[in-house]
Amino acid sequence: MSRRLLPIGIQSFRNLRERGCYYVDKTGYALRMVEQGTHYFLSRPRRFGKSLFLDTLKELFEGSRELFEGLEACDRWDWSVRHPVVRLDFSGGNFKVPGYLEVNLMAQLDAIEDEAGVQGRYRTGPERFGHLIRTLHRQTGQPVAVLVDEYDKPILDALEEEEVARANRDYLRGLYSMVKSGDAHIRFCFLTGVSKFSKVSLFSGLNNLVDITMEPQYSSVCGYTEADLDAVFAPELEGLDRERVREWYNGYRWGGEETVYNPFDALLLFRKREFSPWWFETGTPRFLVETLVERGIPTPSLEGMLASNDLLSTFDVGDIATEALLFQTGYLTIVGREDWDGEPIYRLGYPNREVRQSLNRSLLQHLGQDLSRLTADRVRLGPLLRDGDIPGLGALLRSVFAGIPHQWHTRNEIARFEGYYASVFYSYFAGAGMDVSVEESSSGGRLDMAVKTEGRVYLFEFKVAERAGPGAALAQLKERGYADKYRHLGGPVHLVGVEFSEKDRNVARFETELA
């Protein structure tokens, strides 16, 4: 198989096909949607291929058969019928500015009306939108395909300005209600974005919208599966450690059992030939990190969060569940599912090394750590763990806490939580790319933290010195036999008791023993 152009940043289906780029065929999903219903909604994190899929639908409805040669849709689509398409795209613009949303919408409607030869009759956006749909149906004799990209960005951009966010949400509610009132003129409707705002707040007037976000049959409608990489990108995989590719970038899961890669990560890896947090570096929202810190969420608790369908959908201005925020933005994904009295309960966790490592580095900075120092410490941490240099490890960890500015403790609520100390430790190791697990169960109870590295295992127990007797952390590790679970690995097992001083804001006792 010969190598092709990598479609990095290409969201135009026509551009991608005409330039001969690699393409993972998603047209089968488009056919299924059109055959099974009319009104759809899909939530996926940023840079997951939503815009490209939406543009694929546009070209299908406009009858661009030449672009689909060799794809699943080519022989199954009725190319004799063409539908007018109304596509709205809210990916650009500054929606923090009051009133800008209406200006942006009017400009988009201007362009669509000019191209279609439609004379607008209304001065208000929703009414003008509804008139456009009715007129296009009447002029062409075919019902309209309505496609909305980044439907939620005008709200997300303004979350830190709640008044603007609420105004944008209410305006969009009126706009999207036109889809229901114009149902007789619509053949197909598809809205996509990052978040899943509650139907009450945003889609109260569009109750016939089918949410396919968590449906197993659409779990890989966006993203690349392992099979996709083998079938489409085989030439690009040569020379890459496949297991490392999985560890870094695979792991996103919605509804079904299949996991997918973020396309942006995969394409940048193939181009750069090195492992780096490509997706994370394109713009982790400051709002997310600040929200976690302000709510005092201990970072070890991010792995293993439990959530119901309702909780994962609790997303509205001023009412965003932590689990929903992390899941919908792609920083946590589904790693397990249980049924409780017939209701699905999802266990959340990091999708891969990129997200675990990068998010914890960002959190460390908000927990008072200096970025340049963190970079230097990461270089030292690995060798200390591999060599079993306990004195060096203790000195390094003490220096971490000593480096936190005193004023940071006084102005951040999370510092009042006992979990703050464990959060810094956990994020420090996770941010360095270590194999870290928390709250692992054994016959003796739950271990605070385990770190595995090249033949050695480090088992940590955390205590607050002023609330426990000297040596209590190490004693608990020994008394509960936490090491027994790890002896089969064959390497040294280090018990590490860490006691923090609330008064001194540092490690008061760091005791170790070989199990």
Side-chain angles (χ1 to χ4, degrees), residues 9 11 45-50 262-265 279 282:
Q11 300 177 356
R46 58 191 173 82
R47 293 190 175 272
F48 250 88
K50 302 184 299 295
N262 180 309
F264 187 77
D265 270 330
W279 172 74
T282 59

Side-chain angles (χ1 to χ4, degrees), residues 356-357 378 381-382 385 429-436 451-453:
R356 175 192 282 127
Q357 180 174 298
R378 285 203 308 271
L381 182 61
L385 291 171
F429 284 99
M434 300 296 163
D435 182 358
V436 186
V451 179
K452 303 170 191 172
T453 176

Side-chain angles (χ1 to χ4, degrees), residues 6-251:
L6 293 166
I8 298 171
I10 297 179
Q11 300 177 356
S12 162
F13 182 72
R14 176 175 293 277
N15 190 6
L16 182 149
R17 295 292 286 170
E18 289 181 345
R19 296 180 66 183
C21 298
Y22 288 108
Y23 175 65
V24 174
D25 189 357
K26 302 290 186 178
T27 62
Y29 293 106
L31 291 171
R32 183 184 302 163
M33 291 170 66
V34 174
E35 291 166 358
Q36 295 181 354
T38 302
H39 301 281
Y40 291 96
F41 167 78
L42 175 71
S43 167
R44 286 292 187 270
R46 58 191 173 82
R47 293 190 175 272
F48 250 88
K50 302 184 299 295
S51 296
L52 177 60
F53 182 69
L54 187 139
D55 199 61
T56 305
L57 287 164
K58 170 184 174 294
E59 297 292 352
L60 268 177
F61 282 106
E62 290 182 343
S64 306
R65 178 171 186 166
E66 71 280 4
L67 302 179
F68 293 85
E69 291 294 335
L71 302 181
E72 187 173 350
C74 187
D75 296 328
R76 294 176 52 194
W77 187 263
D78 184 359
W79 300 105
S80 66
V81 179
R82 298 190 175 194
H83 295 268
V85 175
V86 173
R87 177 177 179 176
L88 299 178
D89 182 357
F90 293 110
S91 62
N94 182 7
F95 296 101
K96 294 180 181 180
V97 177
Y100 175 76
L101 171 57
E102 183 171 12
V103 173
N104 180 284
L105 173 64
M106 290 301 203
Q108 293 194 59
L109 294 176
D110 281 342
I112 298 171
E113 289 171 348
D114 286 347
E115 185 174 348
V118 173
Q119 180 66 44
R121 293 176 53 187
Y122 298 91
R123 294 184 178 181
T124 53
E127 287 70 26
R128 190 174 169 190
F129 177 54
H131 174 258
L132 175 62
I133 292 171
R134 295 190 299 271
T135 303
L136 287 174
H137 185 192
R138 184 176 65 251
Q139 286 183 351
T140 65
Q142 295 295 338
V144 178
V146 176
L147 308 174
V148 183
D149 200 7
E150 303 282 4
Y151 89 100
D152 53 348
K153 190 171 180 290
I155 308 172
L156 296 180
D157 280 4
L159 281 177
E160 295 177 85
E161 306 290 340
E162 283 200 15
E163 274 192 36
V164 179
R166 292 181 192 280
N168 288 351
R169 180 199 62 191
D170 295 343
Y171 187 85
L172 289 173
R173 181 194 296 139
L175 177 68
Y176 299 143
S177 69
M178 292 293 110
V179 173
K180 183 176 182 180
S181 64
D183 185 60
H185 307 280
I186 294 175
R187 173 62 185 88
F188 184 83
C189 174
F190 183 53
L191 286 80
T192 184
V194 168
S195 59
K196 182 182 174 184
F197 279 85
S198 65
K199 285 190 175 182
V200 174
S201 71
L202 190 57
F203 296 124
S204 57
L206 190 53
N207 53 16
N208 55 346
L209 197 64
V210 176
D211 181 3
I212 61 172
T213 298
M214 297 288 285
E215 289 194 5
Q217 62 179 323
Y218 293 105
S219 61
S220 54
V221 64
C222 292
Y224 298 156
T225 66
E226 287 283 358
D228 292 333
L229 261 62
D230 287 332
V232 178
F233 296 101
E236 305 298 332
L237 290 169
E238 294 179 12
L240 291 173
D241 182 337
R242 189 60 181 275
E243 187 55 40
R244 199 172 181 210
V245 174
R246 294 188 189 97
E247 176 196 0
W248 264 87
Y249 302 121
N250 195 12

